[in-house]
Amino acid sequence: MALEAVDISLAIGDRDILSKVSFEAMDGCITALVGPNGAGKTTLLRTLAGDGYASQGEVRLNGKTLRDYSLKELARARSVMTQSTDIAFNFSVLEILEMAWMSGPRENFLSYLNRMADELGLALFLDRSFRSLSGGEKQRVLFARAVLQITANSSGRAGRFVLLDEPTSSLDIAYELQLLASCANLAQQGVGVLVVLHDLNLAAKFADQIVLLDQGKRVRAGSPAEVLQPDLLSEVYQTRINVEKHPKIEKLLVYT
């Protein structure tokens, strides 16, 4: 089961935002999209989510194009967390999370909800207004909603995907690690996670696959060791970047 970008190109006016991008994100794995500002990461994630269509190429989810899915089928197969945290109405945190519930026994949903709330430290403010939360608290709530959308309605995990656009941008170190550990737990259950990250060390620590983008093109895709090469990163980010294997954690360490 996979979420595939097949020669995705997207132009806005005379400007090419994405150019013939292809890669495959497997379920049960974490795939990180990385690259400098303006590389096309968010646009690619939105295209893969079905939020608009590519000028050329197609997106396939478990062998079917997104156009072959009804909206309800798509909502069950993939969920999306965008960068925006704006909510027009004054919903409580609990109400925001309940929006992930599509069908099935409410008791099952509440069981999943309580587990997610405890895991992400949300239990203490379920009754608070979402709009009163800090930026980091809002991100944790929206991440929980995205996860609940595809886990609380069915026991099946294979072939389901969570798409996350910079989910750690407003989080402190502890919650960054907690959220990505939750992603790793999802992957162990068979869920595919596609996440846009700016922090290359987080990508090195948690990702099974990294897709490096630059100027709307795929530069390289592969394991962290295959992608996080010093000369390649230095060229793409236009600054000298060093990469070493940390002797204690056995993960790559990226630094300037």
Side-chain angles (χ1 to χ4, degrees):
M1 299 290 193
L3 178 61
E4 302 172 75
V6 184
D7 289 331
I8 296 295
S9 294
L10 179 64
I12 299 177
D14 295 331
R15 184 186 175 200
D16 292 329
I17 307 299
L18 298 171
S19 180
K20 296 184 178 179
V21 177
S22 295
F23 73 93
E24 189 174 77
M26 303 300 297
D27 61 356
C29 296
I30 297 176
T31 298
L33 299 179
V34 304
N37 291 337
K41 303 182 295 296
T42 291
T43 301
L44 179 58
L45 184 132
R46 288 176 177 171
T47 303
L48 290 167
D51 183 12
Y53 293 104
S55 306
Q56 296 180 12
E58 64 181 12
V59 179
R60 296 176 187 158
L61 177 57
N62 301 327
K64 296 165 52 178
T65 67
L66 295 188
R67 290 183 176 88
D68 293 330
Y69 285 83
S70 68
L71 290 177
K72 188 172 184 178
E73 289 172 336
L74 194 58
R76 289 184 180 279
R78 68 94 183 95
S79 61
V80 185
M81 175 187 168
T82 64
Q83 291 184 39
S84 173
T85 58
D86 293 333
I87 300 292
F89 299 100
N90 196 29
F91 293 111
S92 70
V93 170
L94 179 59
E95 289 170 329
I96 293 292
L97 295 175
E98 286 177 330
M99 292 177 188
W101 181 45
M102 291 186 289
S103 64
R106 181 173 175 78
E107 293 76 14
N108 290 356
F109 176 80
L110 291 175
S111 175
Y112 280 102
L113 185 152
N114 289 334
R115 270 183 268 169
M116 283 298 301
D118 288 339
E119 182 177 338
L120 295 171
L122 307 178
L124 294 178
F125 51 82
L126 287 176
D127 294 329
R128 281 180 56 186
S129 163
F130 178 82
R131 294 165 69 180
S132 74
L133 303 181
S134 70
E137 289 169 338
K138 289 177 179 177
Q139 279 190 307
R140 285 150 54 199
V141 171
L142 295 178
F143 171 73
R145 185 179 70 172
V147 173
L148 287 167
Q149 180 180 321
I150 59 164
T151 58
N153 296 283
S154 171
S155 59
R157 298 288 184 271
R160 300 189 177 211
F161 291 84
V162 178
L163 283 67
L164 309 169
D165 192 3
E166 297 188 37
T168 62
S169 61
S170 296
L171 301 183
D172 60 31
I173 294 174
Y175 284 121
E176 277 185 345
L177 296 174
Q178 184 185 61
L179 186 146
L180 288 167
S182 294
C183 290
N185 183 48
L186 283 173
Q188 289 177 352
Q189 297 174 42
V191 175
V193 179
L194 180 64
V195 54
V196 173
L197 291 173
H198 274 293
D199 190 325
L200 296 178
N201 282 303
L202 290 177
K205 182 177 177 66
F206 288 99
D208 301 293
Q209 175 183 222
I210 296 176
V211 180
L212 176 62
L213 300 172
D214 187 29
Q215 298 181 34
K217 298 178 181 179
R218 192 196 84 173
V219 178
R220 186 173 295 176
S223 68
E226 291 171 326
V227 175
L228 300 179
Q229 296 287 330
D231 290 343
L232 179 63
L233 295 179
S234 297
E235 179 182 353
V236 168
Y237 285 91
Q238 298 183 10
T239 189
R240 186 60 199 169
I241 294 177
N242 302 291
V243 181
E244 297 179 1
K245 192 168 186 178
H246 195 287
K248 291 186 177 179
I249 62 174
E250 293 295 307
K251 296 288 185 179
L252 295 177
L253 178 65
V254 183
Y255 63 97
T256 57

